[in-house]
Amino acid sequence: MGYQNKVVRIDLTKKGVSFEPLRMDFAKKYVGSKGLAIRYMYEELKPGIDPLGPENKLFLTTGPLTGTPVPCSGKLSVAAKSPATGTMNDCSIGGHVGIRLKFAGYDMAIFEGKLSEPGYVLIDDGKIRFMDAKDLWGLGSHEAEKILAQKYGPEFSIMSIGPAGENLGVMACINCDYYRQAGRGGIGAVMGSKNMKAIVIRGTGGVKVNDIENTTNRIIELLRESVVNDDNQYIFDDGTTAFLEACNDGGILPWKNFSDTTDEKWTEYNGDVLKQYRVGKRGCGSCGLGCGNFLKIGDAICEGPEYESIAVAGPNAGIRDPEKIVKFNEVADDMGLDTISAGDTIIWAMEMTEKGIHDFGIKFGEADKMIEYLKLMARNEGVGKDLALGTKRASEKYGGTEFAMQVKGLEFPQYEPRGSWATSVAYAVSDRGACHMRAYPPNMEVFEAAAPPYTAENKGQLVYDLAEYNAIKFSLCICDFWGTLDYDIMAELLTMVTGVEWTTEDMSTVGRRVINIGRAFNQREGFDRRHDTVPKRIVTEALQNGPAKGQVIPQEAFDDMLSQYYKVMGWDENGKMPEDLIASLL
Ligand code: SF4
């Protein structure tokens, strides 16, 4: 129960479709969504393949709770080998597409090969069609989705790419419901490399739940007690704009390409300001929280902006104009660009220009240019051609590697590690490059002050515990904003829905396994300790302002935290997993 026990495999080269049972041996070990997707990737993607070649595959993966009324369970994992990093990559996308795929009858859809011409794939319950998309190719993601939405109607979810994905940009994302993204690691370029502009999905079926009556009653109880409560209310009221104040007060709000932190004028573009322009609320399917804020300022319109986009197009770019920040978000989404990586690359270019290392024609504070540069990057035109490379490759070409804020080719999220030391290790060991969706230390070290932020002590264990929690949570396909969800509730819900006994300890075991299978994939691709690094700025330059003033992470402290983490994981000093550990994952 819970699973559909069905995978649809879509061969784009031959325009063929086949159906097969879900690998329940994988599901028993990895549950669903994130974990299941990585296990399939490990099984099916040969080491060393070109992420933009037809041999890479795109995996859309639900979990056993998807399609049930379990709160916050409507997300979908979108996974492939990353063209940005060469690592595995899985992203979590919201909206309604996950539920529709499940209701169409599938736990997973696997896209293989490459269409000979631009097209899109229509999944309408059991019918799969290959459609022509020549007229859509070149359009912004919003325009393409609008055309498809008019054609198919509101029962269909549409995943689409913008020009960035078509041009195989390493920062290309996949959009859904206009403003929800599988954002990171160039996942949109994988779709573009397959000549696939969109995936359109309708599902009119349902999901079988083992104990529907008791499950429903328990869900109602949980909604009252654990979901819609004071701890989580902020996410409905303010969305992630609430993090702006917490980060500024904690000294981890980055300023001008992470050269410093905090902004004394942060209230000029905070949640209170943005809320004045709210014209609606939106949420994903099965969500009890509804974090989406729909804004309109002048001619700028978007759902969000999320904290990450505000920070990167705001203080980190030396910009304080809320309308420009919203416009940046809107244009990035439409172009099909990850706001974090695209923003980080432009602010790196601003610093390069200001330092006189290379003139990219843009300086801090130049908001209109920043928005224009997104279009150039997505279309691979002019200066955008170099910037579309991302900070790693562009800095290897022009210099400035020490302040190219990335790990393994994935740009930093908007939390300054010098004010939250564990964050440096979380970025370094994350399975897809610098990411805040694996371990998220700012909560413990800064917002709740539950762990001292400026020490290496016990940080390996802290990063592991946080990563384990997210690994199982995302394998259950549950949104991270259900912050009060614990292992007991996870095991209880999984047992109720599937009818198979899952324990609290199992949650921990699966979480650890998911981290390990991601590492095993990367190890097979040649990654080890040499790649688990942070930019030189973090270990050599002290912060000049704010609550974390004077903080720098000494290289020895970083190395120590990294070694601690490896020890907790049972990996060797080079970050390598022993063969018997890898064998136990399969
Ligand atoms: S909290 Fe937000 S992101 Fe999470 S499921 Fe609800 S609407 Fe989606």
Side-chain angles (χ1 to χ4, degrees), residues 517-571:
I517 192 73
R519 184 76 176 191
F521 183 99
N522 292 344
Q523 183 166 310
R524 205 170 59 174
E525 297 289 335
F527 288 90
D528 58 28
R529 184 173 192 132
R530 291 166 301 159
H531 307 92
D532 295 343
T533 58
V534 284
K536 215 168 163 190
R537 165 162 282 170
I538 300 299
V539 292
T540 57
E541 295 177 27
L543 296 170
Q544 302 298 309
N545 288 290
K549 183 176 176 178
Q551 286 303 318
V552 57
I553 304 175
Q555 185 68 53
E556 319 77 73
F558 175 78
D559 293 342
D560 176 27
M561 292 188 280
L562 200 54
S563 295
Q564 288 175 39
Y565 181 82
Y566 292 163
K567 207 167 168 198
V568 173
M569 292 306 303
W571 306 343

Side-chain angles (χ1 to χ4, degrees), residues 343-355:
D344 274 356
T345 304
I346 297 173
I347 61 181
W348 168 82
M350 289 171 171
E351 185 164 351
M352 287 288 284
T353 305
E354 292 206 352
K355 282 204 155 98

Side-chain angles (χ1 to χ4, degrees), residues 360-469:
F360 283 103
I362 187 165
K363 293 185 175 168
F364 288 113
E366 294 188 317
D368 289 330
K369 245 185 212 175
M370 188 174 191
I371 294 162
E372 262 329 290
Y373 274 33
L374 291 172
K375 297 176 191 165
L376 297 175
M377 288 161 74
R379 299 210 159 99
N380 250 333
E381 291 170 358
V383 67
K385 212 167 186 174
D386 275 330
L387 297 182
L389 296 170
T391 53
K392 181 172 188 289
R393 294 171 181 86
S395 66
E396 284 165 1
K397 189 170 174 187
Y398 290 106
T401 51
E402 60 279 17
F403 55 86
M405 307 310 285
Q406 55 81 29
V407 176
K408 301 184 182 77
L410 191 71
E411 283 72 19
F412 266 34
Q414 305 300 301
Y415 305 92
E416 166 54 59
R418 283 165 289 184
S420 165
W421 284 23
T423 296
S424 66
V425 189
Y427 289 175
V429 300
S430 148
D431 51 21
R432 62 174 183 178
C435 176
H436 61 298
M437 302 294 281
R438 277 36 185 174
Y440 185 69
N443 221 15
M444 292 285 285
E445 288 192 321
V446 182
F447 308 156
E448 293 176 4
Y454 314 137
T455 171
E457 210 176 325
N458 296 325
K459 292 301 166 66
Q461 185 68 50
L462 176 76
V463 170
Y464 170 72
D465 290 342
L466 296 168
E468 180 195 282
Y469 174 78

Side-chain angles (χ1 to χ4, degrees), residues 71-75 94-95 180 235 282-292 303 306 478-482:
C72 307
S73 64
K75 293 218 156 187
R180 300 276 166 177
I235 204 73
R282 287 178 46 154
C284 307
S286 292
C287 176
L289 292 168
C291 69
E303 186 185 330
E306 305 299 338
I478 291 183
C479 171
D480 47 334
F481 294 135
W482 184 0

Side-chain angles (χ1 to χ4, degrees), residues 288-308:
L289 292 168
C291 69
N293 291 312
F294 206 66
L295 301 186
K296 192 170 180 345
I297 311 185
D299 77 334
I301 186 161
C302 82
E303 186 185 330
E306 305 299 338
Y307 163 74
E308 301 292 333

